Amino acid sequence: MIYDFLIVGSGFYGAICARELTDAGFNVCVIESRNHIGGNCFTSNKNGINIHEYGPHIFHTSNETVWSWINKYVSFNSFVLRPVANYHGEIYSLPFNMWTFAKLWNISLPEEAKKIISEQAKYITNPRNLEEQAIALVGIDVYNKLIKGYTEKQWRKKANTLPKEIITRIPVRYTYDNNYFNDKYQGIPIGGYTQIFDKLLNGIEVRINTDYFTNDNPQYNRLIYTGPIDKFFNYEFGRLEYKTTKFEHELLNKSDYQGTAMMNFTDSETPFTRIIEHKHFEFIDNPKTWITKEYPVEYNSENSEPFYPVNDEINNNKYLKYAEKARLHKNMYFGGRLAEYKYFDMHQIIELALKRTKEIINEFN
């Protein structure tokens, strides 16, 4: 059998492409190198608790089309992300807001916080890297306690060598609002994420434990590839760099461990970056609890999962060469975080995949 489309990867991008193309009448096969579908959004139920196996995924969007689309596949609870920062036992509110500044400086008014930050950052006129950008945004005190250690652990690089754009994703508020996201809609799928992919891929041939590069692939006319683009081209222009993480899951015989879904450890001495307590994502009443410690580890393209692109100038220039080569391949489509070497949130991937599949389908009309 010759498939109209072979799709490599069963995360949001691949699964959406598979669903939309199948509904349009195309014959599709999805292959997945892992032993499960859903990519990094995969959740497994253990002891009645849905475990985010590859780190926490909080769905958020202000896009009405995306929100309407995903609600066809799952219902959401009212979870709002309000992470906590732990610096040597001192607890601070994240993202950076007046609760953070009030505890740090014993102040209460926005103008007081602005004055302190302005004074601490006055020598930063043109931020060139993450360290300078962070100090310009929140001052040296916040940077030293809540950014520097966490960031350098997470990226395994000095903060003054990282792109300044990384820190601009984090909100800074001069209000007592500690909701991490600014989007209109936010929540966790009731029952976990995996059910979404079960529904998206229902009736479609899916082969797990199937590596595009080492297994015999089915015959196909067109390819949609969502894996690392440098691997697809056999690292012709050099290997792209990614941030990766080791997850240690642990079942504890207690009803609550840390009282919050996410606690970041911002000092440099603690080896892990954060602890996730999964039951708090879905307000589960359970005598046991599952926690996950996240350890940054060195990325190795041969045996590591690539999670986040390191979008510095060197890597971006390499990617542009791969992207140009990809454009020359007829009947091949490259999409998603790894294939486009860009950090996408879930709602952005959904929007992108729906748009791209519509364009592909229109090519046949």
Side-chain angles (χ1 to χ4, degrees), residues 127-140:
R128 296 164 298 174
N129 53 57
L130 186 150
E131 178 173 278
E132 293 180 355
Q133 183 67 73
I135 294 171
L137 287 171
V138 291
I140 192 69

Side-chain angles (χ1 to χ4, degrees), residues 18 23 65 101 150 233 240 249 252 305 347:
D23 289 350
T65 300
F101 306 141
Y150 183 89
F233 292 111
L240 293 172
H249 307 296
L252 301 179
E305 288 290 350
H347 67 284

Side-chain angles (χ1 to χ4, degrees), residues 109-269:
L109 301 177
E111 287 305 315
E112 294 175 298
K114 290 178 183 179
K115 182 178 179 180
I116 292 172
I117 291 172
S118 176
E119 179 63 26
Q120 292 188 359
K122 64 183 179 182
Y123 68 95
I124 305 288
T125 56
N126 182 30
R128 296 164 298 174
N129 53 57
L130 186 150
E131 178 173 278
E132 293 180 355
Q133 183 67 73
I135 294 171
L137 287 171
V138 291
I140 192 69
D141 292 342
V142 175
Y143 171 73
N144 282 333
K145 280 197 170 185
L146 304 182
I147 298 175
K148 180 177 171 62
Y150 183 89
T151 300
E152 294 186 346
K153 281 191 298 187
Q154 186 182 45
W155 291 92
R156 296 174 62 86
K157 292 175 179 288
K158 292 295 184 183
N160 60 14
T161 68
L162 289 166
K164 64 181 182 180
E165 288 75 18
I166 293 174
I167 197 67
T168 58
R169 291 175 52 84
I170 301 175
V172 178
R173 301 195 186 103
Y174 292 97
T175 64
Y176 289 91
D177 176 11
N178 62 349
N179 181 353
Y180 193 87
F181 300 113
N182 294 316
D183 287 305
K184 180 178 180 180
Y185 304 109
Q186 182 179 172
I188 300 289
I190 300 171
Y193 279 94
T194 302
Q195 60 183 313
I196 301 173
F197 301 93
D198 287 334
K199 294 172 183 176
L200 283 171
L201 297 170
N202 182 42
I204 298 171
E205 181 171 354
V206 179
R207 304 181 186 183
I208 60 173
N209 295 313
T210 303
D211 190 324
Y212 174 79
F213 299 98
T214 59
N215 290 89
D216 291 330
N217 296 310
Q219 291 183 293
Y220 59 90
N221 291 322
R222 290 172 174 80
L223 177 75
I224 295 177
Y225 177 79
T226 71
I229 193 169
D230 56 340
K231 186 174 183 179
F232 186 89
F233 292 111
N234 198 29
Y235 310 108
E236 179 179 346
F237 305 113
R239 296 173 189 263
L240 293 172
E241 191 175 2
Y242 294 90
K243 179 170 74 73
T244 192
T245 304
K246 178 180 72 172
F247 302 96
E248 287 190 356
H249 307 296
E250 184 180 359
L251 175 64
L252 301 179
N253 193 26
K254 56 178 64 177
S255 61
D256 189 9
Y257 175 70
Q258 63 184 16
T260 185
M262 185 186 302
M263 183 174 290
N264 292 359
F265 291 79
T266 61
D267 61 273
S268 58
E269 292 79 15

Side-chain angles (χ1 to χ4, degrees), residues 57-67 70 76-82 95 169-171 173 177-188 193 343-351:
H57 288 78
I58 296 86
F59 193 87
H60 59 97
T61 187
S62 295
N63 186 312
E64 298 285 350
T65 300
V66 169
W67 183 244
I70 199 167
F76 286 85
N77 66 16
S78 59
F79 178 84
V80 172
L81 180 61
R82 294 185 173 93
R169 291 175 52 84
I170 301 175
R173 301 195 186 103
D177 176 11
N178 62 349
N179 181 353
Y180 193 87
F181 300 113
N182 294 316
D183 287 305
K184 180 178 180 180
Y185 304 109
Q186 182 179 172
I188 300 289
Y193 279 94
Y343 186 95
F344 291 110
D345 285 324
M346 287 180 285
H347 67 284
Q348 294 170 319
I349 282 288
I350 292 170
E351 182 180 12

